[in-house]
Amino acid sequence: MAAQRVFPLSCVVQQYAWGKMGSNSEVARLLASSDPLAQISEDKPYAEELAEKLHLQAPQHYPDANHKPEMAIALTPFQGLCGFRPVEEIVTFLTKVPEFHFLIGDNAAAQLKQSLSQDPEAVTSALRSCFSHLMKSEKKVVVEQLNLLVKRISQQVAAGNNMEDICGELLLQLHQQYPGDIGCFAIYFLNLLTLKPGEAMFLEANVPHAYLKGDCVECMACSDNTVRAGLTPKFIDVPTLCEMLSYTPSPSQDRLFPPARSLEDPYLSIYDPPVPDFTVMKMEVPGSVTEYKVLALDSASILLVVQGTVTASTPTAQATIPLKRGGVLFIGANESVSLKLTVPKDLLMFRACCLL
């Protein structure tokens, strides 16, 4: 008997501490929609629906030897930190935020300012020095300076002053969520990106980043390696992070990754990053379309239904497969799938694959 080439997947969710609580989480809502037996606990968080040297040194924290580039595509207005800011912006923050300057130190701050007129290698060295000084600061000193900054910003906001020139509102939000966390100061090093639904950010391996708020579809290389240093309840490894990061500054708009429109399918957008590990396809089909053909690919793929209700059929399947919001379908290589919209409402789907 031939093995099934197209079949639904039953997914589990992760209850990481940073996930949204209960039915406020898009992940929880997708799970509840796709599985009528799923019970959502309103007091629990719901997060994800489911390199070599580090692996050798600490396999319990870095369980494989693979790199981990990743992409986030916004489902709702989405905010994240991604990659180092241009040095000019960091130098400005060192001037405007004395608490930040205190943790960096006079020498490292001066080195960074001098690098503005030097070659890229000098910039990289100065940026590494500044970031390392911050991340290796004593916990007690970090808490003291952060409390001073929070107090100063709060007083200015209460007096009706706008503190957006030093990301005041964001600093207060992060401190409320992660009080005393050194990662709160990372907003002065890293680009702040705000994505509209459908916009994406791509992160090469070793690019520092943090997802702050909003819902997204995330796709990454096959790896469980993540090196963390702040804004997380998980294992923190500051020395490794400071050593391995890519210290290449760039404007925030350079981190945006626009999709390409398909020439074959008017409803298809393709997010094809410069790595061979994965590609993400977004399909937005209007409810007026009664049947939609999913293109056959040379690789296996996984299809996620975010919005809409369909039945899937394929030449190799004996029966149709019902899919609704939160449903996930495995599609074998070179398999074509036909989707019939059973409810005349717009269809939104994402497909993860590897374009060979």
Side-chain angles (χ1 to χ4, degrees):
M1 184 176 179
Q4 285 183 288
R5 304 278 297 162
V6 178
F7 51 87
L9 296 176
S10 179
C11 297
V12 298
V13 299
Q14 302 285 8
Q15 292 184 314
Y16 296 141
W18 49 262
K20 293 182 180 179
M21 302 299 288
S23 55
N24 286 326
S25 167
E26 177 72 359
V27 172
R29 294 194 293 268
L30 289 172
L31 174 66
S33 176
S34 64
D35 182 359
L37 300 179
Q39 294 184 335
I40 304 302
S41 299
E42 294 300 326
D43 59 347
K44 292 183 179 180
Y46 291 82
E48 299 171 350
E49 189 176 27
L50 285 168
E52 188 169 3
K53 179 180 178 182
L54 298 181
H55 172 59
L56 293 174
Q57 288 178 342
Q60 73 275 27
H61 299 303
Y62 309 112
D64 56 73
N66 301 329
H67 72 161
K68 195 180 181 182
E70 56 190 79
M71 176 182 291
I73 305 171
L75 290 175
T76 64
F78 185 84
Q79 196 173 62
L81 301 173
C82 180
F84 284 101
R85 294 174 177 270
V87 172
E88 295 86 351
E89 294 182 15
I90 301 172
V91 169
T92 297
F93 285 129
L94 285 169
T95 302
K96 291 185 175 183
V97 188
E99 301 85 356
F100 177 48
H101 188 284
F102 183 90
L103 294 173
I104 300 300
D106 292 340
N107 292 338
Q111 181 186 357
L112 185 66
K113 187 173 183 179
Q114 292 168 4
S115 74
L116 287 170
S117 59
Q118 298 173 333
D119 58 31
E121 187 174 334
V123 171
T124 295
S125 176
L127 195 50
R128 179 187 287 109
S129 176
C130 279
F131 189 74
S132 298
H133 272 81
L134 171 67
M135 301 310 295
K136 295 177 181 179
S137 299
E138 292 184 22
K139 175 69 174 178
K140 179 183 177 182
V141 179
V142 171
V143 172
E144 289 174 350
Q145 294 301 314
L146 188 54
N147 286 341
L148 286 173
L149 178 58
V150 168
K151 181 179 179 180
R152 184 163 65 88
I153 292 175
S154 299
Q155 290 175 339
Q156 291 293 325
V157 171
N161 297 321
N162 189 321
M163 300 300 288
E164 286 312 296
D165 62 328
I166 60 169
C167 304
E169 182 180 349
L170 177 59
L171 190 283
L172 295 180
Q173 289 174 357
L174 292 179
H175 182 260
Q176 183 177 21
Q177 188 174 1
Y178 298 97
D181 195 301
I182 195 169
C184 294
F185 283 104
I187 62 176
Y188 300 127
F189 271 116
L190 306 181
N191 285 304
L192 177 63
L193 273 71
T194 300
L195 305 182
K196 300 174 184 176
E199 291 186 328
M201 66 171 81
F202 171 68
L203 306 98
E204 302 94 338
N206 302 333
V207 170
H209 64 282
Y211 298 155
L212 302 180
K213 61 182 178 181
D215 297 312
C216 73
V217 168
E218 184 184 33
C219 190
M220 62 190 69
C222 187
S223 172
D224 278 334
N225 294 332
T226 302
V227 185
R228 305 174 183 89
L231 302 182
T232 177
K234 292 187 175 184
F235 172 71
I236 287 176
D237 188 351
V238 170
T240 297
L241 184 83
C242 292
E243 178 187 347
M244 60 163 280
L245 286 182
S246 171
Y247 292 95
T248 304
S250 63
S252 58
Q253 60 265 27
D254 288 0
R255 292 294 169 183
L256 295 175
F257 194 85
R261 300 292 300 185
S262 170
L263 299 178
E264 305 173 64
D265 183 343
Y267 309 124
L268 177 64
S269 298
I270 303 172
Y271 302 82
D272 189 22
V275 293
D277 304 79
F278 62 85
T279 296
V280 179
M281 298 180 172
K282 181 183 71 171
M283 288 146 281
E284 293 181 290
V285 184
S288 57
V289 174
T290 57
E291 186 172 5
Y292 176 73
K293 301 285 187 180
V294 179
L295 296 175
L297 299 173
D298 291 337
S299 79
S301 60
I302 296 174
L303 182 76
L304 167 66
V305 179
V306 175
Q307 180 181 316
T309 305
V310 300
T311 56
S313 61
T314 176
T316 60
Q318 296 181 344
T320 59
I321 302 171
L323 288 172
K324 57 182 179 179
R325 176 172 158 79
V328 181
L329 189 69
F330 175 86
I331 304 175
N334 302 309
E335 287 290 326
S336 60
V337 177
S338 176
L339 301 177
K340 289 188 177 180
L341 280 70
T342 54
V343 177
K345 293 184 178 180
D346 294 351
L347 185 61
L348 175 62
M349 302 177 294
F350 290 87
R351 185 183 189 185
C353 61
C354 181
L355 295 181
L356 304 176

